[in-house]
Amino acid sequence: MDYLVRGLARNGKVGFFIANTKEIVNQAYEFHRTTPTASAALGRLLTAGAIMGRMLKNDAKITIRINGGGSLGTLMVDANSNGEVRGFVSNPEATLPLKENGKLDVGGAVGTNGFISVIKDLGIKENFSSQSQLQTGEIGDDLSYYFLVSEQIPSIVGLGVLVDVDYSIKASGGFIIQLHPGHDEDDVKYLEDLASKYTSVTDLMDKYKPEEIAKLMFGDDVTFTKQDLKFHCPCSKERFIHALSTIATSDIKEMIEEDHGCDIVCQFCSKEYHLDESDLYKSLELRNNK
Ligand SMILES: [Zn+2]
């Protein structure tokens, strides 16, 4: 089971989340058959989403969407405060040549001509929604920028996915480390040093467990709590019948009369559903009752 460790360091002025997401990203690879470039991009966003979901309380949910105009298209991840996360990339087959340093060109495949947008459903009337311009398309940098400009929280975000020769996921994970109110220049310097010391997140995740990374970063006496993370898609036939109530009545009638049903594939987990005529009639009834 994947998990994260979370805690406070430097007298409560620094908060950290460090996650191992190898199983989650491998699950996404199996569902979506992502190329290594797509696995790295989606895996980084799944890692960030899983952590940001755990930052919320009381069954709240978060959706993060990125579209930078690159060949991967749209990346979308949603997660909740219970550690459940799911996601997809609209072009899982997209790929680019490796960069000169031998690394996957995530930034090139995501692109920078667009935004990262975050919607939080906190269970209150209005959703929290905010977006910021993509900086490098590498996702970690883009989220650091998002936290600074949209939430006014100085943060370092390190995300990494190591893809094996057979395209399965060898290692995956990352960290979000944030400065809390009351921090001073020494705390800022400490985070800057961490960011320059741990530039290869994939190396870190391949060699160490999250709790070991916490100790490497903040010393042996650091305290933390551990929380599980997993890929989970709550899709079901009933949910799709409800979702169809947003489609025009005439389109549903056409599906009933001409096709006697319809086939739907869940974007998040690739599960296939067949809705027969009675399911489609049910979706018509639902809208009549609204
Ligand atoms: Zn699903």
Side-chain angles (χ1 to χ4, degrees):
M1 174 72 99
D2 290 334
Y3 63 93
L4 61 75
V5 297
R6 62 190 295 173
L8 296 172
R10 300 185 64 80
N11 297 320
K13 290 180 289 179
V14 170
F16 64 86
F17 296 79
I18 306 166
N20 175 359
T21 56
K22 179 182 165 176
E23 288 178 30
I24 289 169
V25 180
N26 207 45
Q27 185 73 261
Y29 159 68
E30 284 176 8
F31 285 146
H32 304 302
R33 291 289 143 189
T34 36
T35 61
T37 312
S39 294
L42 180 58
R44 289 181 193 182
L45 194 60
L46 282 164
T47 301
I51 293 174
M52 290 167 75
R54 278 294 193 187
M55 287 177 175
L56 305 172
K57 297 184 181 83
N58 305 328
D59 296 325
K61 298 187 199 88
I62 185 168
T63 300
I64 312 172
R65 174 196 281 267
I66 288 180
N67 190 323
S71 55
L72 288 171
T74 298
L75 291 110
M76 189 153 139
V77 161
D78 61 35
N80 62 36
S81 59
N82 302 314
E84 296 169 336
V85 63
R86 61 178 186 164
F88 69 86
V89 50
S90 57
N91 299 324
E93 72 288 350
T95 189
L96 280 182
L98 295 178
K99 293 194 285 192
E100 273 177 22
N101 61 9
K103 299 207 165 168
L104 295 166
D105 190 1
V106 173
V110 169
T112 54
N113 186 21
F115 295 89
I116 180 165
S117 56
V118 174
I119 298 169
K120 295 181 193 176
D121 175 357
L122 305 172
I124 50 177
K125 209 170 172 189
E126 296 270 310
N127 284 346
F128 165 92
S129 144
S130 184
Q131 64 174 19
S132 62
Q133 175 74 43
L134 291 170
Q135 300 300 300
T136 62
E138 296 282 339
I139 299 176
D141 302 334
D142 303 305
L143 275 163
S144 296
Y145 184 75
Y146 163 81
F147 277 117
L148 188 66
V149 300
S150 289
E151 302 198 14
Q152 290 79 49
I153 305 171
S155 310
I156 56 171
V157 182
L159 305 166
V161 176
L162 186 60
V163 181
D164 216 335
V165 284
D166 65 357
Y167 285 16
S168 68
I169 306 305
K170 189 156 185 274
S172 174
F175 53 80
I176 299 179
I177 301 170
Q178 304 191 308
L179 287 170
H180 287 187
H183 66 266
D184 56 30
E185 279 175 29
D186 285 347
D187 299 314
V188 175
K189 177 83 173 54
Y190 197 87
L191 254 63
E192 284 171 358
D193 289 347
L194 285 181
S196 53
K197 192 171 173 190
Y198 298 108
T199 49
S200 175
V201 183
T202 47
D203 269 2
L204 206 57
M205 299 314 306
D206 197 27
K207 286 192 192 121
Y208 303 104
K209 294 178 181 164
E211 51 271 47
E212 292 168 337
I213 297 169
K215 289 179 180 180
L216 283 175
M217 289 180 162
F218 301 108
D220 280 340
D221 55 353
V222 71
T223 57
F224 48 78
T225 52
K226 208 168 151 178
Q227 293 179 317
D228 290 340
L229 301 172
K230 67 172 178 189
F231 193 108
H232 175 72
C233 185
C235 68
S236 67
K237 196 176 203 176
E238 288 304 313
R239 278 175 184 250
F240 280 113
I241 291 171
H242 275 268
L244 279 180
S245 63
T246 58
I247 292 178
T249 304
S250 56
D251 289 345
I252 301 285
K253 285 188 172 156
E254 199 177 297
M255 284 184 218
I256 294 172
E257 281 155 23
E258 292 181 12
D259 307 321
H260 309 289
C262 74
D263 293 307
I264 295 178
V265 179
C266 176
Q267 275 187 300
F268 286 97
C269 72
S270 302
K271 195 168 173 188
E272 294 170 17
Y273 292 91
H274 177 72
L275 271 53
D276 61 19
E277 286 181 49
S278 70
D279 297 322
L280 293 174
Y281 277 119
K282 216 187 275 178
S283 97
L284 288 178
E285 273 166 38
L286 284 169
R287 73 188 64 197
N288 291 338
N289 294 337
K290 270 184 183 168

